[in-house]
Amino acid sequence: MTTLYDTGPAAEGQLHALVIGVDHYPYCGRTTRLEPPWRDFARAVSPLNCAVPSALAVVDWLRRHLSDRVHPVGSIELLLSAQQEQQVEGCDVERATMANVQTAFDRWYDRCDRNPDDVALLFFCGHGLRLGSEDVLLLEDFGADRHRVFDNAIDFRETYYGMRMAKAGIQCFLLDACRNTPEDLAGRAKACATALKHASPSLESRDAPIVYSALQGSRAPAPDGSPTRFTEAAIQALEGGSADHTVPGWPVTTDLLHFGINRLLGWGEKPDGRQFAAHGGQAFGGTIHALDVPMVPFRFGCDPHAALPHAYLHLANPERKFARPPAEIVWRGAAPADSYSLRAEFAAQGYAGEPATVMLLPPYKDSLLKVTPA
C-alpha cells in the first residue's frame, strides 16, 4: 500500500489527503480490445504526461504543511500510474488501478470518519468525461474488461454523495480532468461507472466544495511533462491565494477556494487561451488551513511602458524592501501581504514619477506606476 504519511488518530482536527495521478492507460489507444461503440472513444484516450507531476506537486505541498496550526496533515494516500514504476522517498507507489484506488479510498474514508473537525481532501488528475449527469474519472485499467467497460472508472457524483456519511466537517474535491462528452458516446444517459462509496439517503448538508479544472462540456489542458495550470493554481490558492484578508489569521476558506483558483488561472499571459475552473457542491466558508502571512505574487510595470527599461523599481515599507534594476519586461515577484510604497528611480533624466501606495492582498497584484517625461 502507499500510505506516505499517517500520524494515527488525534484529538484535534487533521487534514487527510487522497491523491491520484493517472498518465498511463495501457488498455486504450490503438491497441484497445473494446468493441463499438466504445472502440473509437478508447482509441482517443491517449497517454498523458502531466498527471503524475501534478499529483507529486500536491504531495509536495502537503508535506510542506505537515504542521499547519489549524489542520495539520494527518495522512497522505498516493496512487500514481506512469509507464515506469514510481517511487517517493524510496517507497514504491501503488498504481492507480481500480482495486488499488478502492482500497486506498477505504483507508482514507475511515480516517475521514473519525472527527468532525477533520478536513478530507481528494485530488485527481487524469482522463475524464461527462455522460448525462455523471462526471467519470478514468483509472489506469479502464478498458481492461470489454464486457464491463466502465467498471474501472469512478462515478464521481455517486462517490461525492457517499462521502456525506463521513464525519469530516470539511471535504474538498479537486478534479483535474476533461468534462466533455465524446461524440461517440453522445446520447448515452449514463456510464454505469463504479462508486467508491455508495450514496447516503441522507440529505444532510456539509461544507464540501468541488473545483473542476474545466467547465461542463469542456476539455482540460494537458501540458507535456509538467504540472497542469489548474494544479499550480490550486496550490497557489492553498498557499494563500484563497486566504480571507477580512478576518485575522489569514484563513484559506472553502468559499474562496474556487474564486482564488479561477483568478490565478486567469493571471498572466496564456498563449493558448484562458482556462476557466468550475465549481460544484456546497461551500460554507470553513477554514482549510491558515497562514501567518501569505506571499502575494505581483507584476509591476511603468506607464508608459517605454520608461520601464530605464527604471529602478523599489517596493518597500518599514519592515521590508525589494528592488529590481532596469529591464524591458515587467517586474514579477512575490512579497508578504501588506501595504507598500512602489516607486521608480531613473539614472537618466528622461522620466519622473511620484511613489504610489500599493496594497498586496491575495490572490495577486497587478499595478502600473504612472511616470511622465521629464
Side-chain angles (χ1 to χ4, degrees):
M1 70 181 181
T2 317
T3 304
L4 288 186
Y5 184 76
D6 183 12
T7 63
E12 70 277 3
Q14 297 178 309
L15 186 150
H16 300 287
L18 172 60
V19 181
I20 303 169
V22 189
D23 279 332
H24 188 48
Y25 290 90
Y27 301 100
C28 295
R30 299 183 65 179
T31 60
T32 182
R33 297 182 301 164
L34 296 184
E35 302 167 342
W38 317 113
R39 181 185 298 158
D40 289 343
F41 164 66
R43 283 177 174 171
V45 177
S46 57
L48 298 172
N49 201 19
C50 58
V52 168
S54 296
L56 289 173
V58 172
V59 168
D60 180 65
W61 179 83
L62 289 164
R63 295 191 70 83
R64 286 187 282 112
H65 291 80
L66 294 179
S67 300
D68 184 80
R69 58 187 168 88
V70 176
H71 290 113
V73 175
S75 65
I76 304 172
E77 294 283 344
L78 175 64
L79 300 106
L80 301 173
S81 288
Q83 196 155 12
Q84 304 297 325
E85 298 295 327
Q86 298 292 303
Q87 284 195 337
V88 174
E89 298 182 356
C91 297
D92 292 331
V93 179
E94 285 185 325
R95 305 189 71 85
T97 62
M98 176 54 74
N100 289 343
V101 168
Q102 182 67 76
T103 302
F105 176 90
D106 291 348
R107 291 194 299 265
W108 174 70
Y109 180 92
D110 289 344
R111 297 187 192 106
C112 297
D113 196 32
R114 292 173 182 162
N115 189 336
D117 293 330
D118 282 349
V119 173
L121 174 66
L122 186 151
F123 173 86
F124 174 89
C125 187
H127 278 298
L129 68 148
R130 177 89 176 181
L131 282 183
S133 61
E134 295 179 32
D135 282 294
V136 181
L137 309 176
L138 307 187
L139 299 178
E140 176 185 322
D141 47 352
F142 170 75
D145 189 333
R146 65 190 182 93
H147 301 297
R148 287 165 289 277
V149 176
F150 284 96
D151 270 10
N152 297 327
I154 298 171
D155 179 344
F156 175 73
R157 183 171 179 269
E158 182 83 0
T159 301
Y160 174 82
Y161 286 120
M163 282 295 295
R164 281 177 171 168
M165 300 176 69
K167 291 178 181 176
I170 296 175
Q171 301 174 13
C172 299
F173 303 87
L174 303 175
L175 304 184
D176 197 353
C178 293
R179 302 182 71 208
N180 62 306
T181 301
E183 186 176 335
D184 307 297
L185 305 183
R188 183 175 174 86
K190 60 186 302 185
C192 298
T194 299
L196 299 177
K197 173 75 175 176
H198 288 297
S200 163
S202 168
L203 297 179
E204 185 176 343
S205 60
R206 60 196 163 131
D207 198 352
I210 309 165
V211 187
Y212 304 93
S213 64
L215 302 177
Q216 185 174 321
S218 300
R219 293 178 177 273
D224 186 17
S226 62
T228 65
R229 280 190 210 163
F230 175 81
T231 298
E232 291 175 340
I235 291 171
Q236 289 173 343
L238 291 167
E239 283 280 10
S242 291
D244 187 349
H245 68 274
T246 66
V247 297
W250 296 102
V252 175
T253 57
T254 57
D255 57 332
L256 294 179
L257 185 60
H258 167 257
F259 172 79
I261 291 173
N262 232 358
R263 289 285 304 277
L264 289 160
L265 279 172
W267 191 55
E269 293 82 6
K270 303 293 190 299
D272 53 346
R274 171 80 159 88
Q275 180 179 355
F276 292 92
H279 67 95
Q282 300 168 308
F284 300 151
T287 297
I288 302 168
H289 82 114
L291 307 102
D292 293 328
V293 179
M295 296 293 289
V296 180
F298 62 74
R299 185 172 53 186
F300 297 140
C302 289
D303 180 15
H305 182 78
L308 191 58
H310 311 286
Y312 290 85
L313 295 176
H314 299 267
L315 182 71
N317 65 18
E319 287 77 34
R320 305 176 182 92
K321 294 182 179 180
F322 306 90
R324 194 199 72 166
E328 294 189 358
I329 59 174
V330 297
W331 182 13
R332 294 175 179 270
D338 207 342
S339 177
Y340 294 85
S341 173
L342 176 65
R343 63 186 177 88
E345 293 180 348
F346 297 93
Q349 299 301 313
Y351 295 91
E354 294 295 322
T357 299
V358 294
M359 181 67 74
L360 264 59
L361 294 175
Y364 59 81
K365 180 66 177 181
D366 273 326
S367 188
L368 293 176
L369 185 64
K370 189 75 174 177
V371 298
T372 56

